[in-house]
Amino acid sequence: MNQTIKTMLNHRSIRKFSGEKLTSDQKEMILKSAMQASTSSHVMAYTIIGVTDDHLKSDLRAVSGHPHVENNGHLFVFCADLQRNYQVTAADKEESVKQNIESTEQFIVATIDATLAAQNASIAAESMGLGICYIGSLRNDIKRVDELLELPEYVIPLFGLAVGHPDHKPEIKPRLPLEAIYHENKYDDDKYKQGQLVKEFDRYLKTYYQSRSTNKKISTWTEQMENKYKVPTRMDVTPFVKSKKLNLH
Amino acid sequence: MNQTIKTMLNHRSIRKFSGEKLTSDQKEMILKSAMQASTSSHVMAYTIIGVTDDHLKSDLRAVSGHPHVENNGHLFVFCADLQRNYQVTAADKEESVKQNIESTEQFIVATIDATLAAQNASIAAESMGLGICYIGSLRNDIKRVDELLELPEYVIPLFGLAVGHPDHKPEIKPRLPLEAIYHENKYDDDKYKQGQLVKEFDRYLKTYYQSRSTNKKISTWTEQMENKYKVPTRMDVTPFVKSKKLNLH
């Protein structure tokens, strides 16, 4: 197994960082790696915002609720961005450009582009011995984040990425078994209807939670998913995205 | 610069593969790397379908139009999948579960989860000397792909990933300058309004296209984007996604 794969298999989210900031070189290496990720038809429909302002970091922490949004080596926010492409092309055939850019298809493209870049950024950081944590909780109040970062139309914040020097070493979190995620040639719905794979994973995860070094708890994957979905959450994301004229028609 | 970062900076999409198939070990390493990527709140809202059936590959090639969808070492299709989580949780509070799973928020989550996994798969493959190409063109007829892979409700195909032994070595494709993609603390719209960064990139890309070893052409990024958006494309993705009850409200 090569070092790159070892790095990926060794991934665990880091939620406690030392006070040390990333160097310019580290940031540059992370950003260059991010930008070399694949992009759909060369559209590069994303923007990365680095947050260095302490007040802004504190405001973003308040949205997220997580201290590591404020305390880290560097915070990136990844945005789906079709504004750049709109500005480049709108002079010619504006109505058609709008129809494309405001479609679900282009919303998918921009979300994928931003995420491909973010995962390269994460792997680059981890390959240098840094830790990372994705911050989906910026979508707890996506409108507020949008205002804080002064995003124009056709741009939305998707998630943050906190990077820094790890100050703890949590266990690697188990994943569903490979056969639950990977199918061949067609979707095999029976895997879930029988429920066996999930039941086994529930038992396995329960043991993991009880045996890990910190934050021990008694829970299964099923219970966590039930808790997650039992109350409608972040329903304001839908009108927000449409207000930015993405995913509109 | 470490080997992992070298691998990422060395990325170019491979569209011509030798006939050699991936070994089981290679596939397993790619899938394990994919599955260890970050996932939003442990939802793992994606499924990977490996395509080994020759007829199916040929049908998918017909949708895409690209020979490398058929001729490769292995073809993966990455799907956003909230069906698994629905089945696990629906017995309890079904209406609330539906509201969540059918929301734009969860559609974003599943798209991101699938893409994080896919990019780990890509890096794993490239770290082993294999080449990759994302196949967004499966969305040329997303409904047909959905039918071919027999995807249930709450599951949609996002893109393919062709992997194999490279049989050509295209030049690395240039990216927009870092300062166009990376902003600090707020979105700096002036970067695009002035248009300078894009103009410089246009000049640079024109030189690149004329100097590269194959598929020489005279084109700029601006022209490519204009061509891309001048006709509304894949507008059927919107109703398709809704027909699968994702991104519904």
Side-chain angles (χ1 to χ4, degrees):
Chain A
M1 190 187 302
N2 67 49
Q3 191 55 49
T4 300
I5 291 177
K6 274 186 198 160
T7 297
M8 288 190 283
L9 297 185
N10 196 39
H11 165 73
R12 68 281 313 269
S13 292
I14 297 298
R15 294 181 172 86
K16 203 174 161 204
F17 299 102
S18 81
E20 193 177 344
K21 296 291 164 199
L22 263 58
T23 65
S24 310
D25 280 355
Q26 285 171 323
K27 280 192 268 186
E28 193 184 334
M29 210 49 87
I30 288 169
L31 288 167
K32 284 191 168 168
S33 300
M35 290 179 55
Q36 203 51 41
S38 294
T39 162
S40 171
S41 305
H42 215 197
V43 294
M44 298 177 271
Y46 68 98
T47 278
I48 307 171
I49 301 191
V51 184
T52 56
D53 182 273
D54 287 340
H55 291 293
L56 182 53
K57 266 189 152 176
S58 167
D59 288 342
L60 292 171
R61 172 195 175 151
V63 170
S64 153
H66 295 303
H68 54 278
V69 173
E70 190 166 6
N71 309 318
N72 50 53
H74 195 64
L75 178 68
F76 298 99
V77 180
F78 284 78
C79 305
D81 184 349
L82 287 153
Q83 171 63 229
R84 187 188 302 122
N85 300 45
Y86 173 72
Q87 289 200 14
V88 165
T89 56
D92 187 38
K93 293 194 177 269
E94 188 176 5
E95 271 318 300
S96 158
V97 171
K98 276 192 174 179
Q99 262 196 282
N100 273 310
I101 279 180
E102 296 171 1
S103 69
T104 297
E105 161 66 11
Q106 290 304 316
F107 177 60
I108 292 174
V109 162
T111 302
I112 291 172
D113 262 23
T115 307
L116 294 172
Q119 189 56 7
N120 264 22
S122 299
I123 301 297
E126 290 180 333
S127 77
M128 295 189 284
L130 299 165
I132 65 109
C133 191
Y134 279 93
I135 317 287
S137 50
L138 291 186
R139 297 195 306 279
N140 285 347
D141 190 348
I142 194 167
K143 196 167 184 306
R144 172 84 176 131
V145 175
D146 178 72
E147 286 161 4
L148 285 169
L149 301 177
E150 303 180 25
L151 305 183
E153 262 182 7
Y154 298 141
V155 186
I156 62 161
L158 287 173
F159 47 77
L161 183 71
V163 183
H165 294 266
D167 199 27
H168 70 153
K169 193 176 179 182
E171 279 84 3
I172 293 173
K173 198 145 169 203
R175 298 293 191 259
L176 280 164
L178 193 147
E179 55 268 42
I181 298 286
Y182 185 65
H183 303 217
E184 280 202 340
N185 296 315
K186 69 176 194 71
Y187 192 94
D188 182 3
D189 203 31
D190 286 344
K191 291 190 186 200
Y192 311 122
K193 284 200 179 127
Q194 294 161 7
Q196 202 51 41
L197 288 169
V198 169
K199 270 183 209 146
E200 281 167 31
F201 185 59
D202 276 347
R203 278 193 292 272
Y204 182 68
L205 200 65
K206 203 167 183 174
T207 313
Y208 159 81
Y209 280 131
Q210 286 167 322
S211 68
R212 71 181 182 180
S213 50
T214 56
N215 196 18
K216 283 190 209 300
K217 57 183 170 182
I218 296 173
S219 181
T220 65
W221 189 66
T222 298
E223 283 163 12
Q224 284 177 49
M225 294 304 112
E226 280 168 355
N227 283 332
K228 183 171 177 52
Y229 298 125
K230 75 181 175 191
V231 177
T233 311
R234 299 183 189 161
M235 303 309 277
D236 57 322
V237 167
T238 310
F240 165 77
V241 171
K242 289 192 188 302
S243 77
K244 302 304 298 272
K245 294 170 71 178
L246 293 174
N247 193 31
L248 200 56
H249 47 68
Chain B
M1 190 186 302
N2 66 49
Q3 191 54 48
T4 299
I5 291 176
K6 274 185 198 160
T7 297
M8 287 190 283
L9 297 185
N10 196 41
H11 165 72
R12 69 282 311 269
S13 293
I14 298 298
R15 294 181 173 85
K16 204 174 162 204
F17 299 102
S18 81
E20 194 178 344
K21 296 291 164 199
L22 264 59
T23 65
S24 310
D25 281 356
Q26 285 171 324
K27 280 192 267 185
E28 194 184 334
M29 211 48 88
I30 288 169
L31 289 167
K32 284 190 168 169
S33 300
M35 290 179 55
Q36 204 50 42
S38 295
T39 162
S40 170
S41 305
H42 215 196
V43 294
M44 298 178 270
Y46 67 99
T47 278
I48 307 171
I49 300 192
V51 183
T52 56
D53 181 273
D54 287 341
H55 292 292
L56 182 53
K57 267 188 150 174
S58 167
D59 288 341
L60 292 171
R61 172 196 175 151
V63 171
S64 154
H66 295 304
H68 55 278
V69 173
E70 190 168 5
N71 308 320
N72 50 53
H74 196 62
L75 178 68
F76 298 98
V77 179
F78 284 78
C79 305
D81 184 348
L82 287 152
Q83 171 64 228
R84 189 188 301 122
N85 300 44
Y86 172 73
Q87 288 199 15
V88 165
T89 56
D92 187 38
K93 292 192 178 271
E94 188 175 3
E95 271 318 301
S96 159
V97 170
K98 276 192 172 178
Q99 262 197 281
N100 273 311
I101 279 179
E102 296 171 1
S103 69
T104 296
E105 161 66 10
Q106 289 304 317
F107 177 60
I108 293 174
V109 162
T111 302
I112 291 172
D113 263 22
T115 307
L116 294 173
Q119 190 56 9
N120 264 22
S122 299
I123 301 297
E126 291 180 333
S127 77
M128 294 189 284
L130 299 166
I132 66 109
C133 190
Y134 279 93
I135 318 286
S137 50
L138 290 187
R139 298 195 305 280
N140 285 348
D141 190 348
I142 194 167
K143 196 166 183 304
R144 172 84 176 132
V145 175
D146 177 72
E147 286 161 2
L148 286 169
L149 301 177
E150 302 181 25
L151 305 183
E153 262 183 7
Y154 298 140
V155 185
I156 62 162
L158 287 173
F159 47 77
L161 183 70
V163 183
H165 294 266
D167 198 27
H168 69 153
K169 194 177 180 182
E171 279 84 2
I172 293 173
K173 198 147 169 201
R175 298 293 191 260
L176 281 164
L178 193 147
E179 57 267 43
I181 298 286
Y182 186 64
H183 303 217
E184 279 202 341
N185 295 314
K186 69 176 194 72
Y187 192 95
D188 182 4
D189 203 30
D190 286 344
K191 291 189 186 200
Y192 311 122
K193 283 200 179 127
Q194 294 162 7
Q196 202 51 42
L197 288 169
V198 170
K199 271 182 209 146
E200 281 168 29
F201 185 59
D202 276 346
R203 278 193 292 273
Y204 182 68
L205 199 64
K206 203 167 183 173
T207 313
Y208 159 81
Y209 279 130
Q210 286 167 322
S211 68
R212 71 181 181 181
S213 50
T214 57
N215 197 17
K216 285 189 207 298
K217 56 183 170 182
I218 296 174
S219 182
T220 65
W221 190 66
T222 297
E223 283 162 10
Q224 283 177 49
M225 294 304 112
E226 280 169 355
N227 283 333
K228 184 172 175 50
Y229 298 125
K230 76 181 174 191
V231 177
T233 311
R234 299 184 190 160
M235 303 309 277
D236 57 322
V237 167
T238 310
F240 166 77
V241 172
K242 289 193 189 301
S243 78
K244 302 303 298 270
K245 294 170 70 177
L246 292 174
N247 193 32
L248 199 57
H249 46 68

